[in-house]
Amino acid sequence: RNFCYFFIYPVSYFISKSWLGKYKITPTQKKVISWFWYPIIIAICGYLGIKLWNYLPHLEFSKMPILMLLTGFRVFIALLISIAIFVPLGVWIGLNPKVMNIFQPIIQILAALPVNLLYPLIAILLISHNNDLGILSIFLIMMGTQWYILFNVIAGASSLPNNLLEVSRLFRVKGFLWWRKFMIPAIFPYIVTGIIAAAGGAWNAAVVSEIITWGARSTTTRGLGSYIQANSANASLAQAALGCTVMCIMVALCIVFIWKPMYKIAEKKYRIE
């Protein structure tokens, strides 16, 4: 971030204000630049990848599949619970202007509070009762996901055209049929956007949700997050780098094989024009 503030942004501003910013690049020049630019980027990425591969502790690779499975399962369950709770809540708030005027400021204040403020309270509760973190880590992960889903669903429900709502009332569509045939398809793009944003927050929250320390005592559960945090605390930087690399790979796989296809479906099939 500091590199962007002190180098990239000033250089971009200088280029945009100088004669370079006014210079138009022809299609032929773009092709020539791409012939040089992409090989340079590939070479840099390859060099850094080799350096990273040599730096990582290869003996720890066998531990990664089970840690990936455990953390991925917690993130998946946290997202499912958040969807099940906050999609209906967001629809209820979004379709009732009076309710939205009351609850939206409260939700914005709660969403602005750092999740870390609640961790000491949970740490005291766990340590005082000698409980294992276990399932509770799922609800800690939820604290980093719920607001993304809620805000997007509220925005989607409140933006629905009145004529669509009137048609659903005219045909007396209610209950599960109303959700399956009308509301979920109508706000599906907003739900997908909220889930994609929530998934990023869930992976970040997983790092601090699988181990909680209070003074000299700590409670933990097995997973990638606890692996990264424990090795970072012990100055085992190679192991911590391995955990971060694996988590980045998992996030990238989710984006390519889950979120991107879902976003295409939402954009093409469920877009209201």
Side-chain angles (χ1 to χ4, degrees):
R1 185 181 299 175
N2 292 335
F3 178 75
C4 292
Y5 287 153
F6 296 107
F7 181 76
I8 295 179
Y9 294 158
V11 170
S12 300
Y13 179 80
F14 171 76
I15 292 175
S16 63
K17 294 299 181 180
S18 65
W19 63 272
L20 292 173
K22 301 177 182 179
Y23 182 76
K24 294 183 179 180
I25 301 177
T26 63
T28 304
Q29 290 173 332
K30 287 182 180 180
K31 290 182 180 180
V32 174
I33 292 173
S34 65
W35 291 341
F36 288 97
W37 176 251
Y38 288 111
I40 291 173
I41 295 299
I42 293 172
I44 292 174
C45 291
Y47 172 76
L48 295 177
I50 293 172
K51 296 288 288 185
L52 178 62
W53 175 262
N54 294 331
Y55 180 72
L56 296 178
H58 297 172
L59 295 177
E60 296 283 315
F61 282 13
S62 60
K63 299 179 181 179
M64 292 299 106
I66 185 63
L67 298 181
M68 294 167 65
L69 182 63
L70 291 172
T71 300
F73 174 77
R74 295 189 186 102
V75 169
F76 179 73
I77 295 299
L79 286 173
L80 282 182
I81 296 175
S82 298
I83 293 169
I85 295 174
F86 291 99
V87 168
L89 181 61
V91 170
W92 177 66
I93 295 174
L95 294 181
N96 297 276
K98 293 182 180 179
V99 175
M100 186 166 59
N101 292 334
I102 296 173
F103 281 97
Q104 195 165 23
I106 299 174
I107 295 172
Q108 288 175 348
I109 293 172
L110 292 175
L113 295 176
V115 180
N116 295 345
L117 289 177
L118 300 176
Y119 285 4
L121 301 177
I122 298 172
I124 294 172
L125 178 65
L126 288 171
I127 293 173
S128 62
H129 291 82
N130 295 319
N131 290 331
D132 180 68
L133 190 55
I135 298 176
L136 191 59
S137 63
I138 295 174
F139 296 96
L140 293 176
I141 295 173
M142 276 183 60
M143 295 178 186
T145 66
Q146 55 194 12
W147 305 118
Y148 298 102
I149 296 174
L150 182 58
F151 280 127
N152 279 279
V153 172
I154 291 175
S158 61
S159 65
L160 289 178
N162 288 329
N163 57 350
L164 288 179
L165 297 173
E166 290 299 328
V167 168
S168 68
R169 295 190 188 101
L170 180 64
F171 285 96
R172 297 181 181 180
V173 182
K174 297 180 180 179
F176 180 73
L177 183 64
W178 182 80
W179 283 98
R180 186 169 64 91
K181 292 293 186 179
F182 173 69
M183 183 51 63
I184 296 298
I187 63 171
F188 188 74
Y190 294 90
I191 295 175
V192 171
T193 302
I195 292 173
I196 293 173
W203 288 111
N204 291 332
V207 177
V208 294
S209 298
E210 293 181 343
I211 179 169
I212 293 180
T213 303
W214 185 259
R217 303 179 65 180
S218 63
T219 179
T220 182
T221 187
R222 195 178 182 193
L224 265 181
S226 59
Y227 180 85
I228 294 171
Q229 195 171 165
N231 284 291
S232 299
N234 296 330
S236 301
L237 299 183
Q239 286 80 0
L242 174 61
C244 292
T245 302
V246 171
M247 185 169 285
C248 290
I249 292 173
M250 291 185 67
V251 173
L253 291 175
C254 288
I255 291 173
V256 173
F257 294 106
I258 300 177
W259 310 133
K260 192 173 181 180
M262 284 183 63
Y263 192 82
K264 287 184 177 179
I265 293 173
E267 188 179 25
K268 295 180 180 179
K269 189 175 180 180
Y270 295 104
R271 183 173 59 183
I272 298 177
E273 296 180 352

